[in-house]
């Protein structure tokens, strides 16, 4: 059974060339305005960085997922404070 979330991810993969043209600053702005596809693209671009950084602390899996989730929640709640969006990559 395929979930809606998986379908949306597949749609995003098909449109990766379109998304690659959009800067992270524009994505953050669109996400703040309620564009869920932009938020999903931010998560797609930076999930590996977030997971790698959190895993480097050698936490248990449940703690890793909790820290990753908190990272995304903090970004969502404070995206208006990001002065240099390109620095999200690390």
């Amino acid at each position: 059974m395929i979930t809606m979330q998986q379908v949306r991810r597949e749609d995003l993969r098909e449109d990766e060339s379109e998304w690659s043209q959009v800067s992270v600053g524009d994505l953050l702005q669109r996400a703040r305005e309620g564009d869920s596809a932009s938020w999903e693209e931010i998560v797609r671009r930076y999930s590996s960085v977030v997971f790698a950084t959190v895993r480097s602390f050698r936490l248990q899996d449940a703690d890793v997922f909790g820290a990753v989730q908190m990272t995304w929640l903090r970004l969502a709640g404070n995206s208006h404070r990001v002065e240099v969006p390109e620095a999200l990559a690390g």
Side-chain angles (χ1 to χ4, degrees):
M1 181 171 155
I2 297 176
T3 66
M4 287 303 292
Q5 189 173 17
Q6 289 169 324
V7 170
R8 297 213 57 195
R9 284 185 185 141
E10 289 172 8
D11 291 343
L12 286 175
R13 279 190 215 111
E14 291 174 7
D15 296 333
E16 277 185 27
S17 61
E18 175 186 329
W19 285 111
S20 68
Q21 305 295 321
V22 181
S23 73
V24 67
D26 289 340
L27 288 172
L28 278 173
Q29 180 62 38
R30 291 178 186 185
R32 281 193 296 269
E33 294 169 356
D35 182 9
S36 62
S38 292
W39 180 251
E40 289 178 22
E41 176 61 12
I42 292 168
V43 172
R44 187 195 69 76
R45 285 187 189 182
Y46 299 105
S47 282
S48 60
V49 173
V50 173
F51 267 100
T53 302
V54 172
R55 285 195 186 278
S56 73
F57 292 101
R58 299 176 188 234
L59 302 172
Q60 293 181 2
D61 285 345
D63 295 327
V64 168
F65 288 111
V68 167
Q69 182 178 14
M70 183 57 69
T71 300
W72 292 122
L73 288 171
R74 292 288 174 113
L75 177 58
N78 294 291
S79 63
H80 63 283
R81 294 182 177 177
V82 176
E83 294 179 12
V84 183
E86 293 73 22
L88 289 178

